Structures are given as C-alpha cells and as structure tokens.
Amino acid sequence: MTDQPDLTSSIPTGSTPTGSTPTSTAPTGDTPAPPDLFTWEFATDPYPAYAWLREHAPVHKTRLPSGVEAWLVTRYADAKQTLADNRLSKNPAHHDEPAHAKGKTGIPGERKAELMTHLLNIDPPDHTRLRRLVSKAFTPRRVAEFAPRVQELTDQLIDRFATEGTVDLIHEFAFPLPIYAICDLLGVPREDQDDFRDWAGMMIRHQGGPRGGVARSVKKMRGYLAELIHRKREALPDTPAPGEDLISGLIRASDHGEHLTENEAAAMAFILLFAGFETTVNLIGNGTYALLTHPEQRARLQTSLAAKETGLLETGVEELLRYDGPVELATWRFATEPLTLGGQHIAPGDPVLVVLAAADRDPDRFADPDVLDLSRRDNQHLGYGHGIHYCLGAPLARLEGQTALGTLLTRLPDLRLAVDPGELRWRGGLIMRGLRTLPVEFTPVG
C-alpha cells in the first residue's frame, strides 16, 4: 500500500494517444528528437525512452494524454530531491490549471464524492496529523501479526486454480489477494468484501469499463464507507480489542480529540483501500512476469526457497520493485513558488511528476541497471517514494509480495507463460505500471 494509486490521464481506449510535445527542454543541434511518450508501444517498454530523457532532457516538460502539461523528472538524484522538496505541494489547489484541465490530476470521482482530504492531496500539518493516526496499523509488528492471514488468503486463492493447469494470474490471484487483505485490515465485513472487489475492479479496468464507471464506483464506495463508519461507531466497545481493525481505530481517535472529520475518516479508508491494492496487484503481476522471463534468476530463487531460505526472496522483491515496479510515476506535485530542477525553471502552479521507473534504472546510481539481479544489495530504490510521503504501507506490500511470489513458485514449480510475451498488454494509465492479464500454465496439482 503506497501513496501512489492509479490516477487519470490514461491512454483512451480505441484512440491514438498523443506523444510528448516539443518544449524548451527539447535538445537542439545534432541530438535526435525526443521519443514519443504515452503511446501503446511506450506502455509496453518505456525504459528506452526514459534512458533517452535521463541523458538528454532529465527534467522535461510534456503534454500528457489528458491535455495537462507537466514536468517529468527522470534522474535518480533529481528525483530523490524532488520527492522531499517542501516547495512542491501535494494539494491540487496549488495547480494553476486552466478550466479544461480541472479534475484531470486526481482520482476519478474523488471531488464529487468529497474524498479529497486524504494523504495524497494534503501537506503538513494536516498530512502529519492524519498519517500519525494510521501509521500504527502498518508497523512491522502489526504487519507480522497479519502474516498468517496473508498466507491463508494466498493458499486459498491458489487452491481455487491449482487443479486446472492454467489461470490468468492477474484476475484470479494478484488482484483478489490485496483486496481481501486490505479489507480485513480496514475491518470490512467478509460478506461485503466481494462488493469492494467489484468496485476496485472497475477502477483498475477504467479503460475497458463503461463511461463514468470509475466515478460511479468511487461514489458507491464512499457511500458504503460512510455507512460502515456509522455502524462501527454505534457498536464500538469502550476499550479496543487486540488487533482492532483500522476503521475502528480511526473512529476511536476521532472520538478522543484527534479532530478527524467524517469526510477525513471516509477519505482515509478510501485511499488506504485504493492505494493499497493496485500497487500490490502490479508488484505480484510484474514480479511474476519478470521471473518467468528471466529463468536463471527464477531458478536461483526456487533453489533458495526449497532450502527454506528467505534472504534471496527478500532482496529479490526489492529488486523486482526497482527493475519493473508497480508505480511508474509518483503522484502529482505542484510548485508553490519558483524553483529550479535539473537546470529547468519551474513556475508556481506547474505540475511535477517524478518518474520512479526512470530513476530506478539510472546508471549513475545502480550498477548494470537494466539487469535483473535478485541478490542486489545496494538497492535504495525509490519504488516506495522518499521523504514525508514515503509509502505508509511498505511493510504490508513487502509481506504480500514475498508471500505471493514465494508460495506461487513453491506450490507451482513449473509455472510458465501460456502466451508469447509479445501478446501481453500493459494497462495505459499514467501513474501505475501493470499487466492487463498474465495467462500461465503449470502441471495441475491436487
């Protein structure tokens, strides 16, 4: 779970996406023209284009498919500085946006559903206050206590398809696992969790779903969360039980002087759910795909798992996050004053997007950055962000990624792609990077 949900500005279905527009950051002279960005070809493999930008235009102004102009930051050093720069606000109110761009820099439907007051859209001191309220739910100790439930969910999902010999790992495994896990953590009753799966599915399929489907799903989720908060408040015991769910904890904090409004509580629950599932879907999906297309690394990991070792699994998940992580671009930031990034002058109100996928393959920071090495040690990747907006749920994401990948490779040892890699399609969203489907085959097990 991160501060990084999949937002708007995706490539529209059935259309030819726009590339980057020439700007003052484009090179001159004998340097070749900038590569096209945000095409379907780019979505399949953005890394050559990011390598070009790192070398020739490390802070590059481009027009996004939504029409919004933004600065892309691609070098590791610049990215790390930008993520921690307090002159860049998370609050969309600082965006000097023309009328046509309003609503194109956030989660679809969040404005109408009054869900704007969450961790992705606020700055200190409100960010500090709200983050403190939920941080205790994601401590290493609390996550460790949750590990048996994550393992149970993982095994249950594999049990459903283990006898079939084939499955789409995205829809039947990578997608439901984090949904059910975060619902359990929040305190959504088991009988209601399939509704959340449906709403979340609409969000993650926003390109292929009905027009307005994302906004409707957000509205339904907002209504349900408001009702759930009311019901839990009515039934809340005087003293918390061990392992109390997160929504009850938010209510308790609100009722004991933390000044958490109903909208803030609903927005907090919403963003934890929304940010907490798609990142893990993509971590599992991208990670499995990387392992299946790097057989030597996959064999190393399976040998390690067979010996009951955990070290390579732990470093391996970090390497998968760096190599082809679930979050391609960090979420929106807006300049609150004039500043300079990578030699470029950023005006107040300008949107800035840190390209985590580019920074994490910067050869000035990582040796052989385009090589997948599960045993890589010096791996301070930015996949979970940096600074005060560092991923709140990183411990849970690591647990889910390690459990899912380790269990898959152990229980289905001959797992393999069921299609040619060239047939796979990547979702075209701006922020997230993930496969639409991942068909695999394996020897059926009873």
Side-chain angles (χ1 to χ4, degrees):
M1 178 185 326
T2 76
D3 282 7
Q4 324 279 357
D6 195 2
L7 307 183
T8 56
S9 306
S10 57
I11 301 170
T13 300
S15 67
T16 301
T18 57
S20 60
T21 55
T23 70
S24 59
T25 65
T28 58
D30 296 332
T31 305
D36 287 335
L37 305 179
F38 312 119
T39 64
W40 288 118
E41 292 77 14
F42 170 84
T44 299
D45 182 11
Y47 296 104
Y50 288 150
W52 189 98
L53 289 176
R54 276 196 313 267
E55 181 176 356
H56 299 291
V59 178
H60 176 68
K61 194 171 188 179
T62 188
R63 185 180 299 278
L64 305 173
S66 65
V68 175
E69 289 193 339
W71 294 92
L72 303 181
V73 180
T74 54
R75 287 182 180 168
Y76 183 92
D78 292 336
K80 194 170 182 180
Q81 172 192 334
T82 301
L83 291 171
D85 196 325
N86 60 15
R87 297 171 298 175
L88 292 164
S89 170
K90 297 292 290 175
N91 190 338
H94 290 289
H95 184 196
D96 185 20
E97 56 183 352
H100 81 275
K102 289 188 182 297
K104 294 184 177 181
T105 58
I107 300 170
E110 67 175 357
R111 298 184 185 218
K112 292 182 180 179
E114 297 183 311
L115 290 170
M116 292 289 290
T117 53
H118 56 66
L119 290 172
L120 294 181
N121 288 340
I122 57 175
D123 304 311
D126 285 336
H127 177 271
T128 307
R129 173 176 60 89
L130 293 180
R131 188 176 174 107
R132 184 180 68 246
L133 290 178
V134 296
S135 61
K136 61 186 178 182
F138 301 105
T139 62
R141 178 179 176 181
R142 181 73 184 272
V143 170
E145 292 172 350
F146 197 55
R149 177 57 179 159
V150 173
Q151 184 66 62
E152 179 184 19
L153 286 169
T154 300
D155 284 323
Q156 287 176 351
L157 290 169
I158 294 176
D159 286 344
R160 295 179 185 178
F161 58 78
T163 60
E164 300 298 320
T166 183
V167 70
D168 174 6
L169 274 181
I170 299 298
H171 291 287
E172 301 302 325
F173 183 65
F175 177 70
L177 174 60
I179 282 289
Y180 294 139
I182 195 63
C183 280
D184 277 358
L185 198 66
L186 286 170
V188 176
R190 299 278 171 90
E191 62 269 22
D192 296 340
Q193 292 184 6
D194 283 338
D195 287 336
F196 270 80
R197 179 175 176 171
D198 291 343
W199 297 328
M202 180 58 67
M203 293 175 188
I204 204 171
R205 295 193 309 269
H206 57 79
Q207 292 173 303
R211 186 177 181 85
V214 176
R216 285 194 295 273
S217 292
V218 170
K219 186 176 181 180
K220 289 178 181 178
M221 194 177 290
R222 167 67 173 86
Y224 175 86
L225 288 170
E227 179 186 349
L228 181 62
I229 289 169
H230 176 74
R231 282 193 278 127
K232 283 183 176 289
R233 175 173 273 124
E234 291 291 312
L236 197 67
D238 292 335
T239 57
E244 182 176 66
D245 67 74
L246 185 49
I247 290 179
S248 294
L250 290 174
I251 295 168
R252 196 178 296 282
S254 177
D255 292 346
H256 287 79
E258 288 285 359
H259 309 297
L260 189 70
T261 68
E262 180 181 317
N263 276 347
E264 286 177 333
M268 179 69 76
F270 167 75
I271 202 60
L272 290 172
L273 175 79
F274 196 47
F277 84 90
E278 190 171 4
T279 48
T280 308
V281 173
N282 294 343
L283 169 57
I284 297 170
N286 298 3
T288 303
Y289 175 69
L291 291 171
L292 295 182
T293 52
H294 293 79
E296 292 183 3
Q297 293 295 310
R298 175 249 188 93
R300 287 180 63 198
L301 181 54
Q302 286 183 300
T303 299
S304 174
L305 292 169
K308 307 296 183 183
E309 298 169 353
T310 61
L312 191 62
L313 179 62
E314 292 169 1
T315 60
V317 166
E318 298 307 308
E319 175 69 347
L320 293 168
L321 284 159
R322 183 203 67 83
Y323 180 78
D324 198 11
V327 184
E328 192 165 342
L329 281 72
T331 46
W332 299 85
R333 285 165 169 78
F334 307 96
T336 59
E337 60 183 82
L339 61 127
T340 301
L341 288 175
Q344 298 297 326
H345 299 291
I346 313 297
D350 278 3
V352 176
L353 291 165
V354 175
V355 187
L356 304 176
D360 280 343
R361 290 211 189 184
D362 188 339
D364 288 340
R365 176 59 186 84
F366 300 99
D368 298 319
D370 295 321
V371 173
L372 179 69
D373 178 6
L374 298 184
S375 59
R376 188 184 296 268
R377 293 290 178 180
D378 182 18
N379 195 0
Q380 308 239 339
H381 63 77
L382 299 177
Y384 291 129
H386 176 68
I388 64 170
H389 289 282
Y390 180 81
C391 173
L392 183 67
L396 180 61
R398 286 188 170 101
L399 169 66
E400 292 177 334
Q402 292 173 16
T403 304
L405 294 172
T407 307
L408 262 183
L409 293 180
T410 300
R411 293 191 57 183
L412 308 175
D414 64 345
L415 193 71
R416 57 195 177 272
L417 286 174
V419 298
D420 185 271
E423 297 180 38
L424 296 174
R425 293 293 177 264
W426 297 79
R427 293 193 303 277
L430 177 67
I431 300 297
M432 293 291 184
R433 174 165 173 77
L435 288 160
R436 293 184 177 185
T437 61
L438 185 58
V440 295
E441 299 172 335
F442 50 89
T443 301
V445 295

